[in-house]
Amino acid sequence: RMATYVKVNDFVENLCQVIDLDGDALKFDLTSTAPTAGTDATADGNGILANITPISYTNYTDDLTVDRVFTAGTLTHTQTAGTFTLDYGADIVITASGGALASFQYIVPWDDTPTSPVDPLINYWDHGSAIVLAATDTATLQFNASGWFTLA
């Protein structure tokens, strides 16, 4: 099932001022709580990691507390006629191990490099329903063939 891309308003300003898509450490978090619940992380001034509630990262084959990183070298970008496209050329496979992984519905990428604001969000993807992984189940986070996002 294709997840829906949702814009975080602050990303536009942060991209111009503090985010370096080529050099910064981009990571992601998984959450079962909508990023718009409570303090709306998509609203102006709220686009930081502290405004989402990540799942508990246990029962995973790797260490999701440290391995939620978009690997350097797989982020690519192009610009044609004033339209910039960012793409991530690898799938991320999550495998539950030793028990069930906490269910999640939202995948939230963020930038771990800036200190002001700290951990700015980029966007989030809404899967539309919970992803539930029992022991040994896998989920593949596959990125859109036409790019993560475009700016024009």
Side-chain angles (χ1 to χ4, degrees):
R1 176 175 187 179
M2 184 69 144
T4 303
Y5 177 94
V6 179
K7 178 181 176 181
V8 170
N9 287 352
D10 290 346
F11 173 67
V12 176
E13 179 179 5
N14 291 332
L15 183 59
C16 292
Q17 296 181 348
V18 299
I19 291 177
D20 175 2
L21 294 171
D22 278 330
D24 288 359
L26 303 182
K27 299 182 177 184
F28 68 92
D29 264 288
L30 306 173
T31 180
S32 61
T33 304
T36 55
T39 301
D40 182 352
T42 65
D44 293 351
N46 293 338
I48 58 172
L49 185 61
N51 288 332
I52 68 161
T53 306
I55 65 169
S56 171
Y57 296 110
T58 56
N59 298 326
Y60 176 69
T61 54
D62 295 318
D63 183 359
L64 269 178
T65 60
V66 296
D67 290 340
R68 299 178 325 273
V69 178
F70 290 99
T71 307
T74 55
L75 278 170
T76 59
H77 52 80
T78 58
Q79 184 278 132
T80 304
T83 299
F84 172 90
T85 301
L86 180 71
D87 196 10
Y88 187 70
D91 293 344
I92 297 172
V93 178
I94 298 171
T95 304
S97 176
L101 181 67
S103 66
F104 61 94
Q105 179 173 332
Y106 308 94
I107 300 103
V108 185
W110 52 281
D111 189 339
D112 193 30
T113 303
T115 57
S116 181
V118 65
D119 303 334
L121 303 180
I122 296 172
N123 67 285
Y124 74 88
W125 289 284
D126 180 351
H127 187 265
S129 60
I131 297 171
V132 178
L133 300 179
T136 73
D137 286 352
T138 63
T140 301
L141 307 182
Q142 185 176 44
F143 296 86
N144 189 336
S146 61
W148 179 341
F149 64 81
T150 59
L151 297 172

